[in-house]
Amino acid sequence: MNPHDLDHTILHHINGKAAELEEHLKSDVVAFYGQIQPAYFRVFRNFIEEVAKTSKRKEKTLSIVLRTPGGSAQTVERMVSVVRKHYKLVNFIVPDLAMSAGTIFCMSGDKIYIDYSSSLGPIDPQVMLPDGSGFVAALAILIRSKR
């Protein structure tokens, strides 16, 4: 099978399920999958602005399917500002996990839809590693620096 055909098939399936969710929830539906990092903010903002601009829905409601190990709390704060500028109601759908900054993002919403086996939390401050390779719990740095 051609990898391009597989990508097209997966995208077609995802778009079909998103359309079903939009109809059921009476909202625009987007998905965010991955770590919440400052580098993703501009892409996220531009995407949400485009979705809001092209939406034909009278209800200004957005549902975000979210799966994230967490990331930057400052970036989440900026993401919340973007979705709240364009949408009156914001729902979160957590099929698996939304940890740390993802939990903060969910708490900014009006409703959270979560499965019995899904996870939220903990909310612990994260700081970028000096080499920029990722985030680590701030408490871990404090404990290590006191040794």
Side-chain angles (χ1 to χ4, degrees):
M1 176 178 249
N2 181 339
H4 179 71
D5 292 341
L6 183 58
D7 289 347
H8 183 273
T9 301
I10 291 169
L11 186 59
H12 178 75
H13 184 70
I14 290 171
N15 285 337
K17 292 299 180 185
E20 288 177 24
L21 266 177
E22 285 181 341
E23 188 60 35
H24 181 74
L25 297 173
K26 306 222 180 318
S27 72
D28 293 333
V29 173
V30 300
F32 187 98
Y33 181 93
Q35 195 169 33
I36 298 170
Q37 298 181 23
Y40 301 151
F41 173 73
R42 188 170 302 269
V43 172
F44 178 83
R45 184 198 67 195
N46 293 345
F47 181 71
I48 295 299
E49 287 175 352
E50 184 65 24
V51 170
K53 185 171 88 176
T54 60
S55 177
K56 294 177 176 50
R57 296 192 170 279
K58 291 178 187 170
E59 310 91 2
K60 295 308 266 178
T61 303
L62 177 67
S63 295
I64 300 172
V65 180
L66 181 65
R67 187 203 187 279
T68 180
S72 165
Q74 292 85 357
T75 302
V76 163
E77 182 180 11
R78 295 175 69 200
M79 292 166 72
V80 168
S81 295
V82 170
V83 296
R84 288 300 182 174
K85 175 174 176 46
H86 297 285
Y87 290 94
K88 181 178 179 192
L89 296 173
V90 180
N91 303 316
F92 286 88
I93 302 164
V94 182
D96 185 22
L97 59 90
M99 306 304 276
S100 192
T103 300
I104 295 169
F105 202 13
C106 287
M107 295 302 169
S108 75
D110 297 290
K111 291 183 182 176
I112 302 171
Y113 297 96
I114 189 167
D115 187 75
Y116 73 92
S117 64
S118 299
S119 297
L120 294 177
I123 300 172
D124 56 339
Q126 302 280 312
V127 294
M128 176 89 55
L129 291 170
D131 64 2
S133 63
F135 292 89
V136 66
L139 184 58
I141 292 174
L142 290 174
I143 292 170
R144 187 169 187 175
S145 68
K146 290 183 178 185
R147 287 185 182 169

